[in-house]
Structures are given as structure tokens and as C-alpha cells.
């Protein structure tokens, strides 16, 4: 809307500004802004009902936003009907036309665009080659396996070379092994085509494995948008920390602020941590503290490092092959999980043994309370 | 042959026992009369095909036969053209609106045909609603004759049979996942092409079923043509009734009935074949 946002929108393949969609009292899309560069693979990751599908429906044009702007390669498409948007979409249950053969399904978008017959055939073949489906062109979808149907849906979405490709949990209906296989194939295909992809999933492993960036969606809002690595190392909120990987979360109060670090008082003692987010924390402020299990040090006796160490009692340990999960209770009853190497002496401690728990300040995230 | 019999023996016996009451009912209420009038048509008074000959060589009777088929066809097409949009409406509406439309479609089905047919007399008679309205609008000077014409029969039969068209189409439209038209639209099809390429072909099983039902019922429909058609707009069924009850020519009435039955079965067979072909390309 402002000249500067228009300028920004011009360079991105897809650019969303303050997109809002309400269903009665539910705000399914809550002021979403997002810029996607050409050739990027961006995942929308979030729990069920967080608004991922709604956002895709807004992009594809099957739903109309209450306010906000959608730009595709600089063109405002907010009021453009779906058939004029130049967007390819793969639906969760594929949405193949059951009364058409594989070849007819893939040719459909070309036929709707008035592409000549010979050219249609050539491009259908090329698209099916791309997804490695060369047989069964004259079968109807019901005669194909789930993985094959998936490929047809993909071929149909890329055959007309759309400006952007949307996928709503495209692998959700496949079994685990095939899903892993298709993840690799999809990523390779995306690289080959240099396609811009918006990919919806609620499987965090899938999102981390495939995406250049991941948008964590919660209650219609983008909670954080970043690279998989960054989401894990620097979660913007307890929700993100909890959603990506495992994290110990508990309440605390700010005791004292230092430059770039702060001391917090927890019911089991004092910890040094790193404040997250732009908001300044005042002493006495309620905060939520998060530590990844593998960043907790567990030692039989205090090591005397700079980080404060606190006694804990081991409840049980779980052998996971490449690590051992240690379940502990702190002095006040707070439960914590840590993971240690199977070779550590602490990995073999009996139930009831006392250990000392500490963490480096940069590994202790201090979130302002009130952030979800 | 006997081997197969033994292997399937138990389940077959059970199945037969379960089907027995229905089979008996069919035997007494359908097969027996059927055998009765088929034999009457060829054996009364002596073995003869004269009744059929009379039917097929009489220009009058052949005209009635043809006009019955044409009427049934027109009614079927009219019910399809008027019913399809209503079926679409029913399949799209949600909540109270859906409930109201569904009730409007179903209530006529629960009202006796006789009542509905007499309602049409009130509407179409010389001092009826339609004539009154047209006269007061100044569109006509003298009341039109609408009752006792083929037109009246077609209009009333279309209304009476419409639910049989709407319900199967509606159910087949409902079974189309909403992503399919959406996907087609997103892939570049206009609303019209979405309908032509996806919605319509996927609703064909319902269309076929609806057409078959309406056509067959219309072929043998009695009450509405008898009341609204008058002596000029005769149909096969009024002809049968006239021969049987007024002229007491039972052998001839039987012969016409047999022809009607064969015609109906033939059409049902053709539709079944079309449905099967359609179903294959959809699901096999
Ligand atoms: N057509 C609709 N009418 C009313 N509410 C809707 C509609 N579509 C979605 N919602 C609501 O909007 C919210 C977001 O739904 P959405 O389908 O986008 O979630 P999602 O993230 O895709 O979930 P899932 O992972 O289960 O697919 C939910 O609260 C849902 O109930
Ligand atoms: Mg969804």
C-alpha cells in the first residue's frame, strides 16, 4: 500500500501484506505478512487448526481475504479469480479428476489455456517424465497407487509452468517410507525446476528437511519465519521452541539485567540466560525460560564453572541409541529432561542418584511472559 | 455343476430362506397376475396373436402409444432441465436454507398424487389462478383452455415426478468432493468449464438414475393423465383402463399391458447399460 512496500513487493516472487481472514469469531489468518523469493521453498508449519490451509486458500483464490494484499511477481492478485492467478496447487487428497485418464488430468490446465493438441502432448509427456511416471497414461486415477496419484497431481500442477506452486500436506496420505522417498524427490524436482514453493505441513521433520525457510503458524499468525537452523537455535517464542524439537520450559522472574544477558530466579535456584526478543526486561518481570535437553550439562559433582549448577534427582533414563534421555526432578519438584551421550558416566546412573545440572547462558532462552 | 451346488449349499439355503417371504410376495402379487395377463393376451378366446395385431395395425392405438412415449420423454427432459438447478442448489446450501429447500422438494412426494393433480385443476381451470392472472394483467381477453390438454398433462406430471429427478442428482452432486471443482477452477477453468468438464460428468450417474425413474414412471402414469388429460390426451395407461373397465375387453387390455411392460424393461436395460459404462470409467 505504501510506496516502500510496493517496491519491496516488486522484487519478491510472492509478497503478502497484512492478510486477514475471519470466519465468524475465528480469525483464521491474522495479519500475515510474508515475502518469498523466486526459487525459495517455504514451509508453513503449525498445529491443526492454526490456519495453514486457510492461508493457501487465500493465495489460490478459493477464499477472499477480508483485508490485506497478495502480490505475485509484483502483480496484485487479491481480487483476481483463481483461474486467472497462474498458481499451481497440489491438494491434500490430490483432487485428481476421477473420470479422466492420467494424460487427460495432466493436460487439463493446458486444454483450459487453449494450448494446441501436439504441444499439449509434448508438455504432458515432459511433465510426467519429470515426476518419473511414464506408464499408465491411459489409466484413471482409481487404478493408481497413492504414490502414483501423488505424482500425477504434481505433474498437473507444474505442467503449465505456474508462477508459484502451492502444496497442502501433499504427502500426508502416504505411508512413512514412501513419504521419505517423495520428500527427497520433491526437493530435487524443486531445485531442477527452480520453482517457488509454498508447502503446508504439520510434520516438523518434513518442514526442516525440505525447506529453505519455515514459517511457524500459530492461531493464524506467523510466529517466526526463518531457516530451520535458526528456528532451532534461536526460537522467538516458547511456542516455537516447543514446536521445533524438544525444550524444557518453566516460569521464572528476572533478577538482574546485564549487557546481553540476564539472571533469572527459578523455584530451584538462579540461572544465567539470554533475553529473547526486542522488548527490554526489567528486574522483577515474569518470564518463561527454555533450555534444549542436549544443552543441559548433567554432572555427578559440581564442576565449578561460571554457570550456576543445581542439584537434581534422577527419576529414570531412556536409552535411544545415539543418546540417552535423562529425566530429573529439581529441588522444588520441577521436572527437566536432558540428553547425554551414551558414553557419559551419567548415562548409567541409577534412579534416585543426585546430579548437578547447569547450562551455558547463551543456551538459556529467556522469553517475556505473555508470549505464548 | 452338482459340485458347485454342494460347496455353496449352506449359504445358498440361508439366502433362499431369507429371500423366501419376498419371493412369495412377488409370486402372488406380481408374477401370478403377470402370467395371467400374458396368457390372457394370447389365449383368449383361443390361441391367437390377433390382439397384438389389432394394436400394431391400428393407427389410433399406435398414435396413443407414440404420444405416450413422447409425453414421457418431454416430461423427463423438463424435469431434468428444471430439476438440475434445484439439485445444485440443494447440494450447495447449508443450514436452515438447505432444510427449507429440501422440505419443498420432499413435501410433494408425501402428498398423494391425486391431491396434487386436483391442485393443478384449480390452477389451470377456466376461472383458475393462471387465467385470472393473465386476464387481470391484460395479456389475454378470454380465458384459455388449458385443462384436458396434453400440455396440462406434461406440466402436472413434471411437477409430480420432479422429486424423482432431483433426489438422485442431488445425491450424486453431494458425493463430488469440493476440491475437484476447486482444483479445476485453479487450473484455469472458468465457472462454466468447471461445470462442463467436472461437475456435469461426475453427476451423470445421478442424471441417468433420475431420467430412468421419471421416464419409466411417466410411461405408465395413470392418475394425472386420466384426470387432466381428458379423452383427447389419451395415454397407454388410460387406454388400458378404458379397454378393461369400460369396454371389458380384457384380452386386448392385457396385450397393451404386455407391450407397455416390454417397452419399460427394454428402456431400463438400455439405461442400465449406459450406467454401467459410465460407472466403469468412474470407478473401475
Ligand atoms: N470454511 C470455514 N468456515 C468456518 N471456519 C473455518 C473454515 N475454514 C477454516 N475454518 C477455521 O479456521 C481455522 C483454521 O483452519 P485451517 O483449515 O486453515 O487450519 P489448518 O492449519 O489447515 O489445520 P489442519 O492442519 O488440521 O489442516 C480453524 O479454526 C477452522 O475451524
Ligand atoms: Mg489444513
Amino acid at each position: 500500500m505504501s510506496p516502500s512496500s510496493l517496491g519491496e513487493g516488486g522484487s519478491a516472487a510472492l509478497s503478502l501484506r497484512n492478510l486477514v481472514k475471519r470466519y465468524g469469531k475465528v480469525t483464521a489468518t491474522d495479519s500475515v505478512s510474508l515475502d518469498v523469493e523466486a526459487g525459495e521453498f517455504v514451509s508453513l508449519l503449525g498445529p491443526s487448526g492454526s490456519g495453514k490451509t486457510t492461508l493457501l486458500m487465500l493465495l489460490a483464490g478459493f477464499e477472499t481475504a477480508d483485508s490485506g494484499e497478495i502480490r505475485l511477481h509484483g502483480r496484485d492478485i487479491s481480487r483476481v479469480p483463481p483461474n486467472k492467478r497462474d498458481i499451481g496447487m497440489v491438494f491434500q487428497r490430490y483432487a485428481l479428476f476421477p473420470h479422466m485418464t492420467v494424460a487427460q488430468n495432466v493436460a487439463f490446465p493446458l486444454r483450459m489455456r487453449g494450448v494446441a493438441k501436439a504441444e499439449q502432448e509434448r508438455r504432458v509427456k515432459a511433465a510426467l517424465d519429470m515426476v518419473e511416471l511414464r506408464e499408465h497414461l491411459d489409466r484413471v486415477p482409481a487404478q493408481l497407487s497413492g504414490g502414483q496419484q501423488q505424482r500425477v497431481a504434481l505433474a498437473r500442477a507444474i505442467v503449465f509452468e505456474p508462477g508459484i506452486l502451492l502444496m497442502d500436506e501433499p504427502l500426508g496420505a502416504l505411508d512413512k517410507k514412501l513419504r521419505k522417498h517423495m520428500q527427497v524427490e520433491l526437493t530435487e524436482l524443486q531445485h531442477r525446476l527452480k520453482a517457488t514453493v509454498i508447502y503446508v505441513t504439520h510434520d516438523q521433520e518434513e518442514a526442516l528437511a525440505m525447506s529453505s525457510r519455515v514459517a511457524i503458524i500459530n492461531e493464524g499468525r506467523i510466529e517466526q519465519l526463518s531457516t530451520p537452523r535458526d528456528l532451532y537455535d534461536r526460537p522467538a517464542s516458547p511456542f516455537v521452541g516447543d514446536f521445533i524439537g524438544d525444550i524444557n520450559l518453566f516460569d521464572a522472574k528476572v533478577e538482574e539485567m546485564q549487557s546481553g544477558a540476564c539472571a533469572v530466579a527459578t523455584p530451584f535456584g538462579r540461572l544465567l540466560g539470554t533475553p529473547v526478543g526486542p522488548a527490554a526486561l526489567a528486574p522483577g518481570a515474569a518470564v518463561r525460560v527454555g533450555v534444549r535437553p542436549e544443552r543441559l550439562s548433567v554432572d555427578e559433582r559440581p564442576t565449578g564453572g561460571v554457570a550456576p549448577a543445581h542439584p537434581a534427582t534422577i527419576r529414570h533414563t531412556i536409552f535411544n541409541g545415539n543418546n540417552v534421555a535423562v529425566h530429573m526432578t529439581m529441588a522444588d519438584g520441577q521436572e527437566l529432561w536432558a540428553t547425554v551421550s551414551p558414553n557419559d558416566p551419567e548415562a548409567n546412573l541409577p534412579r534416585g542418584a543426585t546430579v548437578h545440572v547447569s547450562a551455558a547462558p547463551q543456551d538459556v532462552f529467556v522469553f517475556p511472559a505473555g508470549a505464548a | 455343476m452338482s459340485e458347485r451346488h454342494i460347496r455353496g449349499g449352506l449359504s445358498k439355503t440361508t439366502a433362499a430362506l431369507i429371500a423366501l417371504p419376498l419371493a412369495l410376495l412377488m409370486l402372488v402379487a406380481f408374477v401370478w397376475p403377470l402370467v395371467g395377463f400374458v396368457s390372457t393376451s394370447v389365449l383368449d378366446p383361443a390361441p391367437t396373436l390377433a390382439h397384438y395385431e389389432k394394436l400394431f395395425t391400428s393407427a389410433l392405438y399406435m398414435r396413443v402409444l407414440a404420444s405416450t412415449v413422447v409425453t414421457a420423454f418431454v416430461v423427463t427432459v423438463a424435469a431434468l432441465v428444471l430439476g438440475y438447478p434445484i439439485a445444485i442448489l440443494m447440494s450447495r446450501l447449508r443450514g436452515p436454507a438447505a432444510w427449507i429447500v429440501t422440505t419443498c422438494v420432499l413435501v410433494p412426494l408425501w402428498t398423494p398424487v391425486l391431491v396434487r393433480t386436483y391442485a393443478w385443476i384449480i390452477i389451470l381451470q377456466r376461472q383458475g389462478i393462471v387465467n385470472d392472472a393473465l386476464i387481470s394483467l391484460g395479456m389475454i381477453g378470454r380465458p384459455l383452455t388449458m385443462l384436458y390438454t396434453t400440455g396440462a398433462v406434461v406440466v402436472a406430471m413434471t411437477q409430480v415426478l420432479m422429486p424423482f429427478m432431483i433426489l438422485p442428482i442431488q445425491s450424486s452432486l453431494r458425493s463430488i468432493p469440493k476440491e475437484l471443482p476447486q482444483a479445476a477452477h485453479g487450473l484455469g477453468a472458468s465457472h462454466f468449464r468447471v461445470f462442463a468438464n467436472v461437475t456435469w460428468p461426475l453427476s451423470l450417474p445421478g442424471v441417468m438414475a433420475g431420467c430412468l425413474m421419471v421416464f419409466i414412471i411417466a410411461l405408465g402414469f395413470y392418475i394425472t393423465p386420466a384426470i387432466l388429460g381428458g379423452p383427447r390426451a389419451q395415454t397407454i395407461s388410460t387406454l388400458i383402463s378404458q379397454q378393461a373397465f369400460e369396454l371389458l375387453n380384457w384380452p386386448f387390455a392385457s396385450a397393451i399391458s404386455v407391450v407397455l411392460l416390454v417397452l419399460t424393461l427394454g428402456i431400463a436395460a438400455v439405461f442400465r447399460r449406459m450406467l454401467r459404462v459410465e460407472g466403469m470409467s468412474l470407478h473401475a
Side-chain angles (χ1 to χ4, degrees), chain B residues 234-266:
Chain B
Q234 271 210 330
T235 63
I236 302 182
S237 48
T238 57
L239 192 62
I240 294 171
S241 150
Q242 187 189 41
Q243 291 295 328
F245 302 118
E246 289 173 30
L247 307 175
L248 298 179
N249 190 349
W250 283 88
F252 189 50
S254 300
I256 309 173
S257 303
V258 171
V259 170
L260 176 59
L261 183 69
V262 169
L263 201 61
T264 307
L265 289 178

Side-chain angles (χ1 to χ4, degrees), chain A residues 99-284:
Chain A
H99 58 303
M100 297 184 198
T101 64
V102 168
Q104 286 168 339
N105 263 283
V106 179
F108 188 84
L110 301 176
R111 187 152 67 87
M112 292 304 118
R113 282 167 176 74
V115 174
K117 258 265 146 23
E119 174 72 0
Q120 276 186 32
E121 262 175 50
R122 192 187 64 73
R123 284 169 71 174
V124 165
K125 234 181 114 353
L128 285 167
D129 270 352
M130 201 78 89
V131 298
E132 292 179 21
L133 192 83
R134 292 182 185 84
E135 294 134 25
H136 316 316
L137 298 200
D138 294 321
R139 289 201 184 170
V140 293
Q143 297 168 318
L144 301 178
S145 72
Q148 289 169 332
Q149 292 184 26
Q150 171 60 51
R151 283 160 210 265
V152 178
L154 192 58
R156 191 179 65 175
I158 60 176
V159 72
F160 61 106
E161 293 167 9
I164 191 166
L165 197 53
L166 310 180
M167 302 196 213
D168 191 358
E169 306 205 23
L171 309 182
L174 305 182
D175 64 55
K176 192 166 174 160
K177 202 166 157 207
L178 188 54
R179 197 155 69 219
K180 282 262 189 284
H181 179 71
M182 287 299 292
Q183 283 175 12
V184 176
E185 280 200 11
L186 262 182
T187 331
E188 281 175 357
L189 180 64
Q190 187 255 338
H191 277 294
R192 248 181 297 146
L193 292 173
K194 299 187 174 55
T196 313
V197 175
I198 308 281
Y199 188 94
V200 163
T201 178
H202 59 228
D203 179 344
Q204 57 143 317
E205 259 181 67
E206 190 166 292
L208 296 184
M210 300 176 74
S211 325
S212 42
R213 287 190 297 160
V214 179
I216 307 292
I217 313 275
N218 186 27
E219 293 178 350
R221 278 172 292 111
I222 295 188
E223 193 104 0
Q224 187 173 6
L225 169 66
S226 203
T227 61
R229 183 72 203 255
D230 203 42
L231 287 175
Y232 190 85
D233 287 345
R234 272 185 289 279
S237 66
F239 177 85
V240 175
D242 199 25
F243 205 76
I244 299 282
D246 296 316
I247 198 165
N248 293 293
L249 284 169
F250 44 89
D251 292 320
K253 268 202 165 45
V254 175
E255 226 169 41
E256 172 185 358
M257 294 296 297
Q258 295 149 6
S259 63
C262 72
V264 295
T266 74
F268 56 83
R270 183 180 148 101
L271 277 179
L272 291 179
T274 312
V276 175
L281 293 171

